[in-house]
Every structure is written in structure tokens, then in C-alpha cells.
Amino acid sequence: MPELPEVQTIVSELDNKIKNKAIKSVEVFKFQSVRPMSKKFIQGVKGRKVLRVKRRAKMIIIELSGKKYLLIHLKMTGQLVYQSKSGKGVSGGHPIPVSAKVKQIYAYPMSGGVKPVGGLPSKFTRAQFDFSDGSHLYFNDIRRFGWIKFVDEKSYQEETGKYGLEPLSKDFTLTAFKEAIKRYSNRKIKQVLMDQSLIAGIGNIYADEADFAAHVMPTRQAKTLTAKEISDLHKAIPRILKLAVKMKGTSADTYVTTSGEEGNMLKHLKVYGRKGEKCRGCPGDVHWMKLAGRGTHYCPLCQK
Ligand SMILES: [Zn+2]
């Protein structure tokens, strides 16, 4: 699933492409993928202008005229494909189909960008937005866990309010971070970092990287962390996420930018996806285990 840096990359590129465009028409191919799950979705969105595209946690927010919003979550296989009037398609999220080169956790997008199956819309297209300038935005999703919600201001506030601290915002102070960690102090630190109601946007990749950077074992109970370890984690999280945003994210789990390119963060990862490879902090190897059902990468020598 795309995490903060990947979603931020998609958001920035999408903002560039669809900002100030008017939505002329909307087509929904699978109502299970939209909310409300009826023609009301189409009626609500149609005719509105895109004011801007932004992010909250791992959610893409398309701000529309008339104080309405489209909230989009790509989940495991979601993809947004922007197609200009000339028909050139670019997409962000997960390429479809997943490349045959998939091995363990990495999937490499097909060279030259993403080519949706069977043209556009494809059999995986759940919704289509047509802009008045002749361009289109397609929401594709193989597994249908992703969704698009059309909401008013009140629901928008509720939905975005469910999430915790934004690690790249000014609110992410050491005090606020300590408070967040304390809330479920019996939990393992990796689970705490990935809890979207505490800290927003961190998933499997960046939780492993943050724990490694702070020399903390992901299995440690949050309450056992020393002041120094908490402070190190607090410094590491925004530093890693900022670098990842700059690198346009990590192309693991088949994520690509809206230009159909791989993100460049992969080569900067210290432990994630490096099971059995040499640790970048000591002569040992990177280990792997399952923690709360998620593959977890760590170095038993560097992390305590
Ligand atoms: Zn090590």
C-alpha cells in the first residue's frame, strides 16, 4: 500500500494535472467502489471544479467547488490514471497488471510506464471522470478494496479527523509524539508507528526504516523506550519521510508515480526489502520476521 511519500507524490503530480479543471461528466462502472453507492455519487460530483488536490495520511483529497470533496484511498491495488486529451495516459499507484517480475515484495513497473489492460476504461476501471478540456481521470482497482467517497464539509472534517499527527507538519513535536506513543504503551513500537489514529501516513516500509534509524527493535513495547530512543525516532521519522518524498517514494508493492515512473527511494532503504542482505550499519545481516502479520525487517545487532 502506498505510504505517505508515495501518496504525496501522486497528490503533487495530480494537483498539477487536474487543478482548476471542471468535471463535465462522471461514469461509475462498479458502485461498490464509490460512496454513496448510487447515482447520487455521479449527481454530486458532476459539474464541479477541482480546486486542488491534497493529502491526509494515506488518503488523496480532491477539493471540489461548493465545499465538497472526493476522498480516495488506493489500498492494495488502486490506481489513478490521468489521460490527456491527446490520449496519453499516465498513472499513479499500482500498475495493472502486476508485472511478471514480482519477487517477494518488489514489483517493477513495465518499462515506459503503465499500460492499463484493454485500453481505457479497462475491465478494472471502477470510475471515470471526464474534464471539460477533454482529459480524463480513471480510478482502476483489481481487488476493489480501494474507494472514492464524495463528501460534504462535515463528513470531510470527520474523515480527516480520524487520523493522528502528520509527521511532516509543525504539529509533530516531541511532546505530541511522546503523547501518541504513550496512548497504547503496551503495544510494540512498530504497531504504534503504523497506527493511523496516532501518527498518519507511516506503513510497513517507513516503520521498519524509522526503527532501524533509531536503533530500536520493532518488537519493543512502546513503554520500554528510553527518552533518547523516543527522541531519535522523533527525529528519524520526518527525516526519512522527507527524503522519500524527494525521491518520489519507494517502488515496492508495485507503486509508481503518476508519470508511470518508479520512485527512487528504494536504494536509500536501509533494511526494508533487504532480508538476508548485508546490514548497512554493521557487518551482520538484515533479518526478517512477522510482526502482527506484517513482514518486518531489522538488524539484531544494530537494534536493541
Ligand atoms: Zn546491523
Side-chain angles (χ1 to χ4, degrees):
M1 192 186 302
E3 302 178 32
L4 186 156
E6 292 78 37
V7 175
Q8 186 58 51
T9 302
I10 292 169
V11 159
S12 305
E13 295 184 354
L14 208 54
D15 187 58
N16 237 338
K17 289 178 179 105
I18 67 169
K19 190 178 181 168
N20 294 325
K21 289 188 181 179
I23 302 171
K24 197 177 76 181
S25 57
V26 181
E27 192 157 354
V28 175
F29 300 96
K30 279 276 182 284
F31 276 99
Q32 295 101 306
S33 298
V34 300
R35 309 284 184 279
M37 276 192 236
S38 67
K39 288 234 161 74
K40 280 184 186 162
F41 177 86
I42 297 171
Q43 289 154 2
V45 179
K46 210 173 124 178
R48 294 191 192 272
K49 193 174 144 187
V50 174
L51 301 184
R52 62 175 173 146
V53 185
K54 55 188 186 179
R55 181 192 60 77
R56 177 77 172 105
K58 301 175 192 170
M59 192 162 70
I60 297 160
I61 298 163
I62 300 180
E63 199 178 325
L64 301 172
S65 54
K67 293 201 166 164
K68 304 286 183 193
Y69 303 84
L70 283 171
L71 309 179
I72 305 172
H73 209 302
L74 298 175
K75 296 282 177 176
M76 306 308 290
T77 56
Q79 175 195 50
L80 284 169
V81 181
Y82 173 79
Q83 191 181 45
S84 66
K85 195 184 172 188
S86 64
K88 196 172 173 284
V90 292
S91 55
H94 304 273
I96 295 174
V98 170
S99 158
K101 286 181 194 165
V102 177
K103 39 177 186 176
Q104 202 192 348
I105 50 163
Y106 298 121
Y108 300 94
M110 288 153 282
S111 58
V114 176
K115 293 174 185 68
V117 180
L120 285 166
S122 77
K123 64 175 177 174
F124 300 117
T125 302
R126 308 304 176 201
Q128 173 180 342
F129 303 88
D130 305 312
F131 299 103
S132 52
D133 70 344
S135 62
H136 312 274
L137 183 67
Y138 300 90
F139 177 66
N140 298 339
D141 197 6
I142 299 181
R143 294 177 66 186
R144 277 190 248 164
F145 291 125
W147 43 251
I148 305 183
K149 293 180 186 175
F150 172 69
V151 297
D152 60 12
E153 183 73 28
K154 188 169 167 273
S155 304
Y156 165 74
Q157 296 296 348
E158 280 167 12
E159 289 275 348
T160 52
K162 287 177 192 167
Y163 298 105
L165 289 170
E166 277 291 339
L168 295 184
S169 76
K170 285 194 185 87
D171 301 335
F172 192 69
T173 60
L174 181 58
T175 312
F177 182 61
K178 274 183 195 161
E179 295 274 308
I181 285 183
K182 255 196 270 170
R183 224 154 98 202
Y184 303 107
S185 61
N186 287 326
R187 286 200 207 154
K188 296 179 171 78
I189 187 62
K190 180 173 179 185
Q191 285 174 290
V192 170
L193 296 182
M194 286 176 63
D195 186 329
Q196 300 302 298
S197 71
L198 299 176
I199 303 151
I202 300 178
N204 216 26
I205 300 173
Y206 301 107
D208 283 1
E209 291 299 308
D211 283 336
F212 177 80
H215 307 288
V216 172
M217 274 295 287
T219 47
R220 283 267 298 283
Q221 268 186 310
K223 65 181 175 195
T224 69
L225 264 64
T226 64
K228 164 94 167 59
E229 287 170 335
I230 292 172
S231 159
D232 285 351
L233 258 185
H234 174 254
K235 278 185 213 133
I237 290 167
R239 178 172 54 77
I240 293 165
L241 292 176
K242 268 182 208 158
L243 176 65
V245 168
K246 201 174 146 199
M247 293 296 137
K248 301 191 174 196
T250 301
S251 283
D253 290 336
T254 72
Y255 151 87
V256 286
T257 73
T258 59
S259 311
E261 292 163 358
E262 284 182 48
N264 292 313
M265 187 59 188
L266 200 57
K267 57 177 176 279
H268 297 277
L269 298 182
K270 299 266 173 39
V271 284
Y272 186 84
R274 302 191 63 249
K275 178 186 177 183
E277 291 176 34
K278 207 169 169 302
C279 176
R280 290 187 167 144
C282 78
D285 292 337
V286 173
H287 287 226
W288 185 92
M289 69 172 147
K290 271 215 157 167
L291 192 158
R294 307 297 301 269
T296 299
H297 307 78
Y298 66 102
C299 172
L301 299 175
C302 292
Q303 291 165 265
K304 297 285 174 247

